[in-house]
Amino acid sequence: MRLRSNRCLYAAPPAYSGRGRPRLHGEKFKLNHQATWWADDESVELKDTALGRLRRRQWQNLHQAGERNSPHDTDTIGTKRRSQQCSSS
């Protein structure tokens, strides 16, 4: 499934501290703001003849607001071109 670039996802909430209402969400992960990204769970770099170097990153167990008890936490994957196309001249 493709997500909008301005979408926010959330990590699991921290353990209940014993005071007040339990938190619904953990840290915020904004797809369009790399400063909010934490270390990826998996990362792979590939070289494609048509696209050049690609980097694939994966973050596990994120959820969207309103889905904190969903049994379908998302694994989020981002792919980025690391270099320009290879030229064959």
Side-chain angles (χ1 to χ4, degrees), residues 5-67:
S5 65
N6 65 344
R7 191 68 151 154
C8 289
L9 301 171
Y10 299 89
Y16 180 55
S17 66
R19 287 189 69 191
R21 179 179 174 187
R23 291 193 48 195
L24 300 176
H25 308 296
E27 293 181 58
K28 186 184 270 191
F29 186 98
K30 290 178 159 184
L31 294 177
N32 63 357
H33 191 50
Q34 282 190 344
T36 65
W37 299 2
W38 49 85
D40 48 40
D41 294 310
E42 185 179 327
S43 179
V44 177
E45 290 213 16
L46 307 166
K47 186 171 184 180
D48 183 88
T49 55
L51 299 173
R53 275 186 30 205
L54 302 172
R55 182 176 185 192
R56 178 194 171 275
R57 300 172 77 184
Q58 178 176 346
W59 295 269
Q60 298 175 344
N61 300 322
L62 299 173
H63 65 269
Q64 299 178 36
E67 297 182 359

